[in-house]
Amino acid sequence: MINKVEICGVNTSKLPVLTREEKDELFVKIKAGDMQAREKFIHGNLRLVLSVIQRFNNRGENADDLFQVGCIGLIKAIDNFDTTLNVQFSTYAVPMIVGEIRRYLRDNNAIRVSRSLKDIAYKALHIKEKLTSQCSNEPTVSEIAKEMDMPIEEVVFALDAIADPVSLFEPVYHDGGEAIFVMDQVRDTKNTDENWLENIALSEAMKHLGEREKHILDLRFFKSKTQMEVADEIGISQAQVSRLEKSALKQLRKYI
């Protein structure tokens, strides 16, 4: 469903792509209250929403629903984006879109807890309060399970079942500056949003390079070839490969 061509009546194969200059011009008009410019900007960034919902294609969710929710995140990003910051709009918008989709998935969680599990959990909470008042300190799960004469695994499972889900974007600390979110403390060190954003930034920067420079970087850094091997493959000298490689990397740093 995620990979279908038409989503919410939008032909995704014909979506426009705005240049950096077009985005800047449209934002000037948007800030001045031009609603037509706002609509054009939204339409020109729907590909960004599509790229984000690809991350959720293993959830079994309806693509149209995710697309609509992602568009809400896109609109929020447009309304809150600060054009004075030296940041590309996509870098700012992606976390907003991801956060909106995650909130939707959390709020529409179809998991249902059985009555028996709830009864065990509520009984465990009651015993926890009782033991806390008796001993003046919070009991361990083992002590609660012993008091209930139940296996500790069942008590843990029951308590987990009634625990409210927490968004990764839930702030846990805020001192007036940047907030610290749950995802900053508990995270997948491999598939982080930072890594994903870096990949997006790198992909965007690569578009500014010529085909030969792209080919050289692909051979050098993605296929692990030496400069001599690259020189032999494309028919130029090793010195030229070195010069082109340095120039391409300099260009990438400029746009990332």
Side-chain angles (χ1 to χ4, degrees), residues 169-184:
F169 288 89
E170 187 77 26
V172 295
Y173 176 75
H174 198 294
D175 63 353
E178 290 191 5
I180 297 176
F181 300 96
V182 172
M183 69 178 297
D184 296 320

Side-chain angles (χ1 to χ4, degrees), residues 209-226:
L209 302 180
E211 290 303 318
R212 185 163 66 166
E213 286 82 1
K214 289 180 186 177
H215 188 43
I216 289 173
L217 293 185
D218 178 59
L219 294 174
R220 287 281 290 126
F221 299 105
F222 294 96
K223 296 181 180 174
S224 303
K225 294 195 174 187
T226 65

Side-chain angles (χ1 to χ4, degrees), residues 130-160:
K130 174 185 167 185
L131 293 176
T132 300
S133 63
Q134 289 177 352
C135 307
S136 299
N137 63 291
E138 190 171 299
T140 64
V141 179
S142 298
E143 291 170 335
I144 295 172
K146 184 178 179 181
E147 182 74 14
M148 295 175 66
D149 193 24
M150 293 186 68
I152 185 173
E153 294 83 2
E154 287 189 31
V155 176
V156 171
F157 187 66
L159 290 172
D160 284 344

